[in-house]
Amino acid sequence: MQIRSFQLSDYRFVSELLEEVLSEECCEETMGAFARQLSCDSELVLVAESEGVIAGVLIGTIDEQKGYVYRIAVLTQYRRQGVGTALVNAMHNRFSKRKVLKVLVAVDKHNEMLRPFYESLGVKAMEYSRLARPLSIVAG
């Protein structure tokens, strides 16, 4: 498995992945945030690729000196194989290189069910944050 930056040729596969694993409402919100993040800093959109298949995606953003893990999605058949963990670790490395002082998980009603996953990575309650502004404003 390879973790890498999103490439334009990934767009259709990432869109399909998001449609498959997210609820309709969550997918709509995520697609808007995904497009806005790509327009301002595509290096904070990571994909996990396994044998030519986009197995997972993570959308991150930076607001001042805080890094946010906004949305993570992994195809069902690749779950519990370390894909999500690898994506989060790669994003943390990107944040570190950019001198981000604090990394937070952006929690909304769609991410709430992922708390056990983040807690398994050692994320503490104080490291969750509800974005005060939509990602479109944070990323801009």
Side-chain angles (χ1 to χ4, degrees):
M1 178 180 51
Q2 175 190 13
I3 306 296
R4 60 173 174 75
S5 296
F6 173 89
Q7 299 169 359
L8 189 56
S9 60
D10 298 326
Y11 188 83
R12 183 180 64 125
F13 301 107
V14 169
S15 298
E16 290 171 359
L17 182 153
L18 294 172
E19 288 175 7
E20 182 178 329
V21 302
L22 303 177
S23 70
E24 186 177 334
E25 179 187 11
C26 181
C27 186
E28 281 182 33
E29 289 176 20
T30 301
M31 288 304 293
F34 173 52
R36 289 184 293 273
Q37 188 59 41
L38 288 178
S39 71
C40 68
D41 190 348
S42 63
E43 290 294 310
L44 295 178
V45 177
L46 300 179
V47 297
E49 184 177 5
S50 179
E51 299 177 3
V53 174
I54 302 296
V57 61
L58 189 150
I59 302 168
T61 194
I62 296 175
D63 182 19
E64 297 176 11
Q65 293 186 306
K66 292 179 187 165
Y68 291 90
V69 174
Y70 172 69
R71 187 79 72 225
I72 187 168
V74 176
L75 288 173
T76 305
Q77 62 268 36
Y78 289 94
R79 292 182 184 164
R80 301 199 180 280
Q81 296 179 32
V83 174
T85 301
L87 284 164
V88 170
N89 289 338
M91 186 61 70
H92 276 267
N93 289 339
R94 298 251 168 135
F95 287 153
S96 293
K97 288 178 183 175
R98 294 189 185 199
K99 309 288 189 247
V100 166
L101 298 177
K102 186 169 193 162
V103 178
L104 301 163
V105 175
V107 176
D108 59 17
K109 65 183 178 183
H110 308 296
N111 275 345
E112 196 64 40
M113 66 184 169
L114 291 176
R115 274 190 190 252
F117 165 71
Y118 290 117
E119 289 169 358
S120 76
L121 298 177
V123 176
K124 298 168 187 61
M126 67 193 80
E127 294 169 326
Y128 294 98
S129 174
R130 296 203 183 276
L131 291 174
R133 301 172 286 168
L135 184 60
S136 60
I137 297 170
V138 173

